[in-house]
mmCIF file of all heavy atoms in Angstrom:
data_model
loop_
_atom_site.group_PDB
_atom_site.id
_atom_site.type_symbol
_atom_site.label_atom_id
_atom_site.label_comp_id
_atom_site.label_asym_id
_atom_site.label_seq_id
_atom_site.Cartn_x
_atom_site.Cartn_y
_atom_site.Cartn_z
ATOM 1 N N LEU A 766 2.153 24.794 -7.103
ATOM 2 C CA LEU A 766 2.356 23.455 -6.586
ATOM 3 C C LEU A 766 3.825 23.348 -6.147
ATOM 4 O O LEU A 766 4.718 23.648 -6.897
ATOM 5 C CB LEU A 766 2.127 22.427 -7.701
ATOM 6 C CG LEU A 766 0.751 21.831 -7.910
ATOM 7 C CD1 LEU A 766 0.784 20.830 -9.044
ATOM 8 C CD2 LEU A 766 0.181 21.147 -6.669
ATOM 9 N N ALA A 775 11.154 11.250 2.915
ATOM 10 C CA ALA A 775 11.074 10.025 2.105
ATOM 11 C C ALA A 775 9.928 9.995 1.130
ATOM 12 O O ALA A 775 9.999 9.310 0.127
ATOM 13 C CB ALA A 775 11.042 8.807 3.004
ATOM 14 N N SER A 776 8.815 10.659 1.403
ATOM 15 C CA SER A 776 7.666 10.503 0.468
ATOM 16 C C SER A 776 7.026 11.865 0.201
ATOM 17 O O SER A 776 5.912 12.131 0.614
ATOM 18 C CB SER A 776 6.664 9.513 1.027
ATOM 19 O OG SER A 776 6.408 9.793 2.393
ATOM 20 N N THR A 778 5.206 14.844 -1.951
ATOM 21 C CA THR A 778 4.224 15.004 -3.037
ATOM 22 C C THR A 778 4.025 16.507 -3.264
ATOM 23 O O THR A 778 4.541 17.299 -2.530
ATOM 24 C CB THR A 778 2.870 14.339 -2.714
ATOM 25 O OG1 THR A 778 2.338 14.955 -1.536
ATOM 26 C CG2 THR A 778 3.001 12.861 -2.521
ATOM 27 N N MET A 779 3.244 16.820 -4.289
ATOM 28 C CA MET A 779 3.024 18.211 -4.664
ATOM 29 C C MET A 779 1.707 18.742 -4.075
ATOM 30 O O MET A 779 0.648 18.146 -4.317
ATOM 31 C CB MET A 779 2.987 18.342 -6.175
ATOM 32 C CG MET A 779 4.158 17.747 -6.922
ATOM 33 S SD MET A 779 5.689 18.677 -6.709
ATOM 34 C CE MET A 779 5.530 19.832 -8.070
ATOM 35 N N ARG A 801 -9.817 18.056 -3.254
ATOM 36 C CA ARG A 801 -8.588 17.495 -2.658
ATOM 37 C C ARG A 801 -8.390 18.032 -1.229
ATOM 38 O O ARG A 801 -7.564 17.534 -0.502
ATOM 39 C CB ARG A 801 -7.349 17.809 -3.493
ATOM 40 C CG ARG A 801 -7.374 17.308 -4.911
ATOM 41 C CD ARG A 801 -7.407 15.808 -5.032
ATOM 42 N NE ARG A 801 -6.175 15.167 -4.585
ATOM 43 C CZ ARG A 801 -6.005 13.829 -4.608
ATOM 44 N NH1 ARG A 801 -6.991 13.054 -5.015
ATOM 45 N NH2 ARG A 801 -4.873 13.305 -4.201
ATOM 46 N N ALA A 819 -1.405 15.946 -1.437
ATOM 47 C CA ALA A 819 -1.133 15.879 -2.861
ATOM 48 C C ALA A 819 -2.339 16.386 -3.663
ATOM 49 O O ALA A 819 -3.440 15.918 -3.507
ATOM 50 C CB ALA A 819 -0.789 14.432 -3.291
ATOM 51 N N GLY A 820 -2.067 17.369 -4.501
ATOM 52 C CA GLY A 820 -3.100 17.904 -5.382
ATOM 53 C C GLY A 820 -4.035 18.889 -4.704
ATOM 54 O O GLY A 820 -4.839 19.552 -5.321
ATOM 55 N N LEU A 1087 13.209 6.904 8.016
ATOM 56 C CA LEU A 1087 11.935 6.919 8.731
ATOM 57 C C LEU A 1087 12.206 6.680 10.198
ATOM 58 O O LEU A 1087 13.261 6.153 10.587
ATOM 59 C CB LEU A 1087 10.927 5.909 8.160
ATOM 60 C CG LEU A 1087 11.182 4.424 8.220
ATOM 61 C CD1 LEU A 1087 10.852 3.845 9.610
ATOM 62 C CD2 LEU A 1087 10.328 3.718 7.181
ATOM 63 N N ILE A 1146 16.254 4.784 4.794
ATOM 64 C CA ILE A 1146 15.452 3.975 3.864
ATOM 65 C C ILE A 1146 16.403 3.083 3.064
ATOM 66 O O ILE A 1146 17.252 3.562 2.308
ATOM 67 C CB ILE A 1146 14.666 4.864 2.873
ATOM 68 C CG1 ILE A 1146 13.812 5.880 3.641
ATOM 69 C CG2 ILE A 1146 13.855 4.032 1.917
ATOM 70 C CD1 ILE A 1146 12.558 5.351 4.266
ATOM 71 N N GLU A 1148 16.814 -1.209 1.267
ATOM 72 C CA GLU A 1148 16.166 -2.420 0.852
ATOM 73 C C GLU A 1148 15.795 -3.256 2.082
ATOM 74 O O GLU A 1148 16.606 -3.450 2.977
ATOM 75 C CB GLU A 1148 17.160 -3.189 -0.009
ATOM 76 C CG GLU A 1148 16.564 -4.202 -0.939
ATOM 77 C CD GLU A 1148 15.563 -3.613 -1.902
ATOM 78 O OE1 GLU A 1148 15.838 -2.570 -2.468
ATOM 79 O OE2 GLU A 1148 14.493 -4.245 -2.075
ATOM 80 N N LEU A 1150 13.673 -2.625 4.469
ATOM 81 C CA LEU A 1150 13.143 -1.923 5.657
ATOM 82 C C LEU A 1150 11.624 -2.121 5.779
ATOM 83 O O LEU A 1150 11.074 -2.195 6.892
ATOM 84 C CB LEU A 1150 13.478 -0.432 5.551
ATOM 85 C CG LEU A 1150 13.106 0.422 6.742
ATOM 86 C CD1 LEU A 1150 13.740 -0.080 8.036
ATOM 87 C CD2 LEU A 1150 13.499 1.899 6.519
ATOM 88 N N ASP A 1151 10.961 -2.212 4.613
ATOM 89 C CA ASP A 1151 9.501 -2.429 4.651
ATOM 90 C C ASP A 1151 9.151 -3.736 5.393
ATOM 91 O O ASP A 1151 8.232 -3.769 6.195
ATOM 92 C CB ASP A 1151 8.905 -2.413 3.221
ATOM 93 C CG ASP A 1151 9.676 -3.317 2.252
ATOM 94 O OD1 ASP A 1151 10.793 -3.703 2.594
ATOM 95 O OD2 ASP A 1151 9.140 -3.600 1.161
ATOM 96 N N ASP A 1155 6.999 -4.095 8.783
ATOM 97 C CA ASP A 1155 5.778 -4.926 8.767
ATOM 98 C C ASP A 1155 5.854 -5.954 9.899
ATOM 99 O O ASP A 1155 4.821 -6.211 10.576
ATOM 100 C CB ASP A 1155 5.629 -5.629 7.435
ATOM 101 C CG ASP A 1155 5.192 -4.688 6.310
ATOM 102 O OD1 ASP A 1155 4.822 -3.532 6.625
ATOM 103 O OD2 ASP A 1155 5.247 -5.051 5.111
ATOM 104 N N SER A 1174 5.284 6.958 8.400
ATOM 105 C CA SER A 1174 5.224 7.291 6.983
ATOM 106 C C SER A 1174 4.939 6.042 6.141
ATOM 107 O O SER A 1174 5.097 6.090 4.923
ATOM 108 C CB SER A 1174 6.535 7.927 6.555
ATOM 109 O OG SER A 1174 7.639 7.083 6.860
ATOM 110 N N ARG A 1175 4.589 4.942 6.790
ATOM 111 C CA ARG A 1175 4.470 3.710 5.984
ATOM 112 C C ARG A 1175 3.421 2.711 6.497
ATOM 113 O O ARG A 1175 3.202 1.697 5.836
ATOM 114 C CB ARG A 1175 5.829 3.012 5.839
ATOM 115 C CG ARG A 1175 6.756 3.060 6.982
ATOM 116 C CD ARG A 1175 6.550 2.126 8.155
ATOM 117 N NE ARG A 1175 6.052 0.822 7.771
ATOM 118 C CZ ARG A 1175 5.364 0.078 8.585
ATOM 119 N NH1 ARG A 1175 5.099 0.497 9.832
ATOM 120 N NH2 ARG A 1175 4.958 -1.097 8.207
ATOM 121 N N SER A 1177 0.080 0.614 7.133
ATOM 122 C CA SER A 1177 -1.054 0.376 6.249
ATOM 123 C C SER A 1177 -2.363 0.607 7.008
ATOM 124 O O SER A 1177 -2.398 0.557 8.233
ATOM 125 C CB SER A 1177 -1.037 -1.073 5.737
ATOM 126 O OG SER A 1177 -1.341 -1.962 6.776
ATOM 127 N N PRO A 1179 -5.138 -1.203 7.294
ATOM 128 C CA PRO A 1179 -5.655 -2.301 8.154
ATOM 129 C C PRO A 1179 -4.897 -2.400 9.479
ATOM 130 O O PRO A 1179 -5.520 -2.618 10.547
ATOM 131 C CB PRO A 1179 -5.446 -3.546 7.307
ATOM 132 C CG PRO A 1179 -5.301 -3.105 5.901
ATOM 133 C CD PRO A 1179 -4.737 -1.729 5.965
ATOM 134 N N ASP A 1207 -2.169 13.465 2.882
ATOM 135 C CA ASP A 1207 -1.645 12.201 2.336
ATOM 136 C C ASP A 1207 -1.744 11.111 3.418
ATOM 137 O O ASP A 1207 -2.061 9.966 3.086
ATOM 138 C CB ASP A 1207 -0.194 12.384 1.943
ATOM 139 C CG ASP A 1207 -0.059 13.192 0.634
ATOM 140 O OD1 ASP A 1207 -1.083 13.622 0.096
ATOM 141 O OD2 ASP A 1207 1.087 13.371 0.171
ATOM 142 N N ARG A 1210 -5.229 9.836 3.504
ATOM 143 C CA ARG A 1210 -5.530 8.900 2.363
ATOM 144 C C ARG A 1210 -4.879 7.569 2.609
ATOM 145 O O ARG A 1210 -5.456 6.516 2.376
ATOM 146 C CB ARG A 1210 -5.023 9.507 1.055
ATOM 147 C CG ARG A 1210 -5.823 10.708 0.615
ATOM 148 C CD ARG A 1210 -5.457 11.172 -0.786
ATOM 149 N NE ARG A 1210 -6.128 12.419 -1.018
ATOM 150 C CZ ARG A 1210 -5.579 13.624 -0.777
ATOM 151 N NH1 ARG A 1210 -4.331 13.703 -0.372
ATOM 152 N NH2 ARG A 1210 -6.266 14.730 -0.962
ATOM 153 N N ARG A 1211 -3.619 7.602 3.064
ATOM 154 C CA ARG A 1211 -2.916 6.349 3.284
ATOM 155 C C ARG A 1211 -3.589 5.495 4.355
ATOM 156 O O ARG A 1211 -3.662 4.281 4.242
ATOM 157 C CB ARG A 1211 -1.457 6.671 3.668
ATOM 158 C CG ARG A 1211 -0.576 5.476 3.988
ATOM 159 C CD ARG A 1211 0.891 5.878 4.022
ATOM 160 N NE ARG A 1211 1.180 6.907 5.021
ATOM 161 C CZ ARG A 1211 1.367 6.705 6.300
ATOM 162 N NH1 ARG A 1211 1.287 5.450 6.774
ATOM 163 N NH2 ARG A 1211 1.657 7.679 7.119
ATOM 164 N N LEU A 1212 -4.052 6.115 5.401
ATOM 165 C CA LEU A 1212 -4.632 5.382 6.508
ATOM 166 C C LEU A 1212 -6.134 5.308 6.423
ATOM 167 O O LEU A 1212 -6.831 4.871 7.357
ATOM 168 C CB LEU A 1212 -4.213 6.004 7.851
ATOM 169 C CG LEU A 1212 -2.687 5.996 8.085
ATOM 170 C CD1 LEU A 1212 -2.355 6.666 9.403
ATOM 171 C CD2 LEU A 1212 -2.124 4.575 8.038
ATOM 172 N N GLU A 1213 -6.687 5.761 5.291
ATOM 173 C CA GLU A 1213 -8.140 5.721 5.030
ATOM 174 C C GLU A 1213 -8.933 6.435 6.107
ATOM 175 O O GLU A 1213 -9.947 5.937 6.597
ATOM 176 C CB GLU A 1213 -8.614 4.263 4.824
ATOM 177 C CG GLU A 1213 -7.982 3.671 3.525
ATOM 178 C CD GLU A 1213 -8.250 2.218 3.300
ATOM 179 O OE1 GLU A 1213 -9.063 1.615 4.070
ATOM 180 O OE2 GLU A 1213 -7.676 1.642 2.353
ATOM 181 N N PRO A 1219 -13.544 6.541 0.549
ATOM 182 C CA PRO A 1219 -13.669 6.442 -0.915
ATOM 183 C C PRO A 1219 -14.323 5.129 -1.395
ATOM 184 O O PRO A 1219 -15.007 5.119 -2.391
ATOM 185 C CB PRO A 1219 -12.204 6.536 -1.391
ATOM 186 C CG PRO A 1219 -11.331 6.415 -0.205
ATOM 187 C CD PRO A 1219 -12.179 6.702 0.992
ATOM 188 N N SER A 1220 -14.096 4.067 -0.637
ATOM 189 C CA SER A 1220 -14.679 2.818 -1.066
ATOM 190 C C SER A 1220 -16.118 2.688 -0.634
ATOM 191 O O SER A 1220 -16.792 1.726 -0.968
ATOM 192 C CB SER A 1220 -13.857 1.655 -0.487
ATOM 193 O OG SER A 1220 -13.824 1.779 0.892
ATOM 194 N N MET B 655 -1.573 6.275 -1.504
ATOM 195 C CA MET B 655 -0.270 6.937 -1.476
ATOM 196 C C MET B 655 0.806 5.855 -1.453
ATOM 197 O O MET B 655 0.710 4.861 -0.757
ATOM 198 C CB MET B 655 -0.147 7.782 -0.206
ATOM 199 C CG MET B 655 -1.275 8.749 0.052
ATOM 200 S SD MET B 655 -1.593 9.950 -1.279
ATOM 201 C CE MET B 655 -0.014 10.708 -1.519
ATOM 202 N N ILE B 656 1.896 6.100 -2.248
ATOM 203 C CA ILE B 656 3.051 5.224 -2.128
ATOM 204 C C ILE B 656 3.772 5.628 -0.837
ATOM 205 O O ILE B 656 4.062 6.817 -0.640
ATOM 206 C CB ILE B 656 3.980 5.390 -3.341
ATOM 207 C CG1 ILE B 656 3.248 4.944 -4.602
ATOM 208 C CG2 ILE B 656 5.273 4.586 -3.133
ATOM 209 C CD1 ILE B 656 4.064 5.022 -5.875
ATOM 210 N N ASN B 657 3.998 4.712 0.077
ATOM 211 C CA ASN B 657 4.529 5.094 1.370
ATOM 212 C C ASN B 657 6.040 5.261 1.351
ATOM 213 O O ASN B 657 6.683 5.114 0.303
ATOM 214 C CB ASN B 657 4.055 4.129 2.460
ATOM 215 C CG ASN B 657 4.743 2.781 2.397
ATOM 216 O OD1 ASN B 657 5.728 2.621 1.704
ATOM 217 N ND2 ASN B 657 4.207 1.824 3.133
ATOM 218 N N ALA B 658 6.617 5.589 2.493
ATOM 219 C CA ALA B 658 8.040 5.957 2.550
ATOM 220 C C ALA B 658 8.954 4.806 2.183
ATOM 221 O O ALA B 658 10.084 5.032 1.823
ATOM 222 C CB ALA B 658 8.387 6.472 3.950
ATOM 223 N N VAL B 659 8.470 3.554 2.268
ATOM 224 C CA VAL B 659 9.319 2.435 1.888
ATOM 225 C C VAL B 659 8.921 1.907 0.499
ATOM 226 O O VAL B 659 9.252 0.769 0.126
ATOM 227 C CB VAL B 659 9.302 1.318 2.929
ATOM 228 C CG1 VAL B 659 10.092 1.727 4.150
ATOM 229 C CG2 VAL B 659 7.874 0.954 3.331
ATOM 230 N N GLN B 663 -0.514 1.801 -2.382
ATOM 231 C CA GLN B 663 -1.786 1.453 -1.724
ATOM 232 C C GLN B 663 -2.783 0.986 -2.744
ATOM 233 O O GLN B 663 -3.709 0.288 -2.411
ATOM 234 C CB GLN B 663 -2.260 2.738 -1.081
ATOM 235 C CG GLN B 663 -3.283 2.623 -0.016
ATOM 236 C CD GLN B 663 -3.534 3.967 0.617
ATOM 237 O OE1 GLN B 663 -2.909 4.964 0.248
ATOM 238 N NE2 GLN B 663 -4.399 4.042 1.585
ATOM 239 N N ARG B 684 0.126 -7.115 -1.128
ATOM 240 C CA ARG B 684 0.214 -7.296 0.316
ATOM 241 C C ARG B 684 -1.202 -7.016 0.865
ATOM 242 O O ARG B 684 -2.066 -6.477 0.147
ATOM 243 C CB ARG B 684 1.228 -6.353 0.979
ATOM 244 C CG ARG B 684 0.895 -4.860 0.836
ATOM 245 C CD ARG B 684 1.808 -4.054 1.736
ATOM 246 N NE ARG B 684 1.376 -2.656 1.772
ATOM 247 C CZ ARG B 684 1.730 -1.795 2.686
ATOM 248 N NH1 ARG B 684 2.512 -2.183 3.700
ATOM 249 N NH2 ARG B 684 1.344 -0.550 2.680
ATOM 250 N N SER B 685 -1.395 -7.368 2.083
ATOM 251 C CA SER B 685 -2.715 -7.222 2.698
ATOM 252 C C SER B 685 -3.182 -5.753 2.588
ATOM 253 O O SER B 685 -2.467 -4.846 2.953
ATOM 254 C CB SER B 685 -2.626 -7.645 4.161
ATOM 255 O OG SER B 685 -3.836 -7.289 4.804
ATOM 256 N N GLY B 686 -4.371 -5.560 2.062
ATOM 257 C CA GLY B 686 -4.944 -4.231 2.006
ATOM 258 C C GLY B 686 -4.670 -3.499 0.719
ATOM 259 O O GLY B 686 -5.223 -2.422 0.474
ATOM 260 N N ARG B 688 -5.219 -2.208 -2.843
ATOM 261 C CA ARG B 688 -6.344 -2.163 -3.756
ATOM 262 C C ARG B 688 -5.833 -2.451 -5.147
ATOM 263 O O ARG B 688 -4.981 -1.748 -5.663
ATOM 264 C CB ARG B 688 -6.991 -0.773 -3.746
ATOM 265 C CG ARG B 688 -8.018 -0.625 -2.634
ATOM 266 C CD ARG B 688 -8.894 0.607 -2.865
ATOM 267 N NE ARG B 688 -8.177 1.857 -2.906
ATOM 268 C CZ ARG B 688 -8.149 2.659 -3.981
ATOM 269 N NH1 ARG B 688 -8.811 2.363 -5.081
ATOM 270 N NH2 ARG B 688 -7.452 3.759 -3.929
ATOM 271 N N GLU B 712 -7.643 -6.069 -1.953
ATOM 272 C CA GLU B 712 -9.026 -5.703 -2.261
ATOM 273 C C GLU B 712 -9.129 -5.549 -3.754
ATOM 274 O O GLU B 712 -8.587 -4.598 -4.317
ATOM 275 C CB GLU B 712 -9.324 -4.306 -1.668
ATOM 276 C CG GLU B 712 -9.824 -4.270 -0.270
ATOM 277 C CD GLU B 712 -10.052 -2.800 0.142
ATOM 278 O OE1 GLU B 712 -10.699 -2.062 -0.598
ATOM 279 O OE2 GLU B 712 -9.491 -2.462 1.195
ATOM 280 N N SER B 735 -12.954 5.118 -8.810
ATOM 281 C CA SER B 735 -14.081 5.353 -7.935
ATOM 282 C C SER B 735 -13.735 4.954 -6.514
ATOM 283 O O SER B 735 -14.359 5.414 -5.547
ATOM 284 C CB SER B 735 -15.308 4.569 -8.408
ATOM 285 O OG SER B 735 -15.048 3.178 -8.341
ATOM 286 N N GLY B 736 -12.711 4.121 -6.313
ATOM 287 C CA GLY B 736 -12.324 3.760 -4.967
ATOM 288 C C GLY B 736 -11.280 4.692 -4.353
ATOM 289 O O GLY B 736 -10.804 4.440 -3.245
ATOM 290 N N GLY B 737 -10.936 5.786 -5.056
ATOM 291 C CA GLY B 737 -9.937 6.702 -4.547
ATOM 292 C C GLY B 737 -8.748 6.806 -5.492
ATOM 293 O O GLY B 737 -8.804 6.298 -6.623
ATOM 294 N N ASP B 738 -7.697 7.499 -5.047
ATOM 295 C CA ASP B 738 -6.508 7.705 -5.896
ATOM 296 C C ASP B 738 -5.944 6.385 -6.361
ATOM 297 O O ASP B 738 -6.017 5.379 -5.679
ATOM 298 C CB ASP B 738 -5.400 8.419 -5.105
ATOM 299 C CG ASP B 738 -5.802 9.858 -4.745
ATOM 300 O OD1 ASP B 738 -6.927 10.307 -5.092
ATOM 301 O OD2 ASP B 738 -4.980 10.543 -4.118
ATOM 302 N N ALA B 786 -4.680 15.838 -11.345
ATOM 303 C CA ALA B 786 -5.502 16.374 -10.267
ATOM 304 C C ALA B 786 -5.069 15.822 -8.886
ATOM 305 O O ALA B 786 -5.080 16.544 -7.896
ATOM 306 C CB ALA B 786 -6.978 16.030 -10.519
ATOM 307 N N GLN B 787 -4.678 14.580 -8.838
ATOM 308 C CA GLN B 787 -4.286 14.018 -7.547
ATOM 309 C C GLN B 787 -2.816 14.376 -7.211
ATOM 310 O O GLN B 787 -2.412 14.238 -6.072
ATOM 311 C CB GLN B 787 -4.517 12.499 -7.496
ATOM 312 C CG GLN B 787 -3.610 11.658 -8.348
ATOM 313 C CD GLN B 787 -3.913 10.151 -8.281
ATOM 314 O OE1 GLN B 787 -5.054 9.777 -8.086
ATOM 315 N NE2 GLN B 787 -2.892 9.343 -8.432
ATOM 316 N N ALA B 788 -2.081 14.823 -8.228
ATOM 317 C CA ALA B 788 -0.703 15.320 -8.036
ATOM 318 C C ALA B 788 0.249 14.292 -7.402
ATOM 319 O O ALA B 788 1.154 14.663 -6.656
ATOM 320 C CB ALA B 788 -0.678 16.620 -7.271
ATOM 321 N N HIS B 789 0.006 13.059 -7.641
ATOM 322 C CA HIS B 789 1.001 12.023 -7.317
ATOM 323 C C HIS B 789 0.663 10.796 -8.122
ATOM 324 O O HIS B 789 -0.435 10.707 -8.681
ATOM 325 C CB HIS B 789 0.963 11.710 -5.802
ATOM 326 C CG HIS B 789 -0.245 10.941 -5.371
ATOM 327 N ND1 HIS B 789 -0.237 9.571 -5.165
ATOM 328 C CD2 HIS B 789 -1.510 11.359 -5.111
ATOM 329 C CE1 HIS B 789 -1.448 9.180 -4.800
ATOM 330 N NE2 HIS B 789 -2.228 10.260 -4.745
ATOM 331 N N ARG B 829 5.524 16.126 -15.311
ATOM 332 C CA ARG B 829 6.576 16.298 -14.309
ATOM 333 C C ARG B 829 6.249 17.322 -13.240
ATOM 334 O O ARG B 829 6.439 17.104 -12.062
ATOM 335 C CB ARG B 829 7.860 16.781 -15.021
ATOM 336 C CG ARG B 829 8.786 15.717 -15.488
ATOM 337 C CD ARG B 829 9.941 16.385 -16.219
ATOM 338 N NE ARG B 829 10.854 16.983 -15.231
ATOM 339 C CZ ARG B 829 11.890 16.355 -14.696
ATOM 340 N NH1 ARG B 829 12.144 15.109 -15.049
ATOM 341 N NH2 ARG B 829 12.688 16.944 -13.842
ATOM 342 N N ASP B 830 5.765 18.495 -13.703
ATOM 343 C CA ASP B 830 5.523 19.604 -12.767
ATOM 344 C C ASP B 830 4.359 19.329 -11.824
ATOM 345 O O ASP B 830 4.107 20.086 -10.908
ATOM 346 C CB ASP B 830 5.283 20.904 -13.516
ATOM 347 C CG ASP B 830 6.529 21.374 -14.222
ATOM 348 O OD1 ASP B 830 7.619 20.884 -13.840
ATOM 349 O OD2 ASP B 830 6.440 22.204 -15.152
ATOM 350 N N TYR B 831 3.634 18.270 -12.050
ATOM 351 C CA TYR B 831 2.487 17.951 -11.224
ATOM 352 C C TYR B 831 2.782 16.810 -10.278
ATOM 353 O O TYR B 831 1.866 16.245 -9.680
ATOM 354 C CB TYR B 831 1.254 17.635 -12.094
ATOM 355 C CG TYR B 831 0.890 18.796 -12.982
ATOM 356 C CD1 TYR B 831 1.329 18.856 -14.290
ATOM 357 C CD2 TYR B 831 0.107 19.856 -12.523
ATOM 358 C CE1 TYR B 831 1.029 19.920 -15.115
ATOM 359 C CE2 TYR B 831 -0.206 20.933 -13.317
ATOM 360 C CZ TYR B 831 0.251 20.959 -14.616
ATOM 361 O OH TYR B 831 -0.038 22.039 -15.407
ATOM 362 N N GLY B 832 4.040 16.432 -10.184
ATOM 363 C CA GLY B 832 4.401 15.385 -9.233
ATOM 364 C C GLY B 832 3.999 13.982 -9.704
ATOM 365 O O GLY B 832 3.960 13.046 -8.923
ATOM 366 N N LYS B 872 11.080 2.623 -7.581
ATOM 367 C CA LYS B 872 11.747 2.961 -6.331
ATOM 368 C C LYS B 872 12.837 4.017 -6.535
ATOM 369 O O LYS B 872 13.002 4.947 -5.769
ATOM 370 C CB LYS B 872 12.368 1.666 -5.761
ATOM 371 C CG LYS B 872 12.571 1.724 -4.256
ATOM 372 C CD LYS B 872 12.867 0.337 -3.693
ATOM 373 C CE LYS B 872 11.641 -0.348 -3.156
ATOM 374 N NZ LYS B 872 11.947 -1.650 -2.519
ATOM 375 N N LYS B 874 12.928 6.103 -9.065
ATOM 376 C CA LYS B 874 12.368 7.213 -9.851
ATOM 377 C C LYS B 874 12.975 7.323 -11.255
ATOM 378 O O LYS B 874 13.352 8.414 -11.684
ATOM 379 C CB LYS B 874 12.537 8.534 -9.099
ATOM 380 C CG LYS B 874 11.764 8.549 -7.757
ATOM 381 C CD LYS B 874 11.310 9.965 -7.431
ATOM 382 C CE LYS B 874 10.153 9.955 -6.448
ATOM 383 N NZ LYS B 874 10.483 10.063 -5.061
#
Side-chain angles (χ1 to χ4, degrees):
Chain A
L766 269 180
S776 47
T778 59
M779 307 289 272
R801 301 296 292 180
L1087 65 79
I1146 306 283
E1148 202 59 44
L1150 184 57
D1151 49 346
D1155 287 348
S1174 55
R1175 35 80 35 205
S1177 72
D1207 286 1
R1210 291 189 188 92
R1211 178 166 58 82
L1212 299 179
E1213 294 174 8
S1220 57
Chain B
M655 308 303 306
I656 297 182
N657 73 13
V659 287
Q663 197 173 1
R684 64 168 188 162
S685 169
R688 275 195 299 119
E712 270 178 51
S735 65
D738 292 1
Q787 71 181 30
H789 72 98
R829 270 177 75 89
D830 292 342
Y831 300 94
K872 205 168 263 183
K874 298 211 159 93

